[in-house]
Amino acid sequence: MGGRGVIGDKWSMRVLWACAIGSAFSLYLVAAERQLQNRQRMLAESLEAMELESGDGDE
């Protein structure tokens, strides 16, 4: 009976580590995606600001 508990603990630790690594990886992907969205938003805002500055004399 003692041997089964060791095997169960070993597998539960493996599952726990797999969940922890998967969570860390998904958090990394979310952070990278948000950083990309922020970069695109800043680029769009600066482009819009440039268009407004250059459009003042034309309209």
Side-chain angles (χ1 to χ4, degrees), residues 1 3-4 9 21 33 37-38 40 42-43 50 57-58:
M1 190 161 189
R4 294 183 73 175
D9 289 343
I21 291 171
E33 179 68 23
Q37 289 175 354
N38 287 339
Q40 288 174 345
M42 282 202 312
L43 183 62
M50 284 175 31
D58 293 341

Side-chain angles (χ1 to χ4, degrees), residues 15-54:
V15 170
L16 184 65
W17 274 107
C19 290
I21 291 171
S23 295
F25 183 67
S26 62
L27 282 174
Y28 168 77
L29 290 179
V30 167
E33 179 68 23
R34 287 189 180 177
Q35 187 177 13
L36 179 64
Q37 289 175 354
N38 287 339
R39 192 176 299 146
Q40 288 174 345
R41 186 182 307 122
M42 282 202 312
L43 183 62
E45 288 175 355
S46 66
L47 188 62
E48 184 179 337
M50 284 175 31
E51 286 178 354
L52 288 176
E53 287 177 3
S54 66

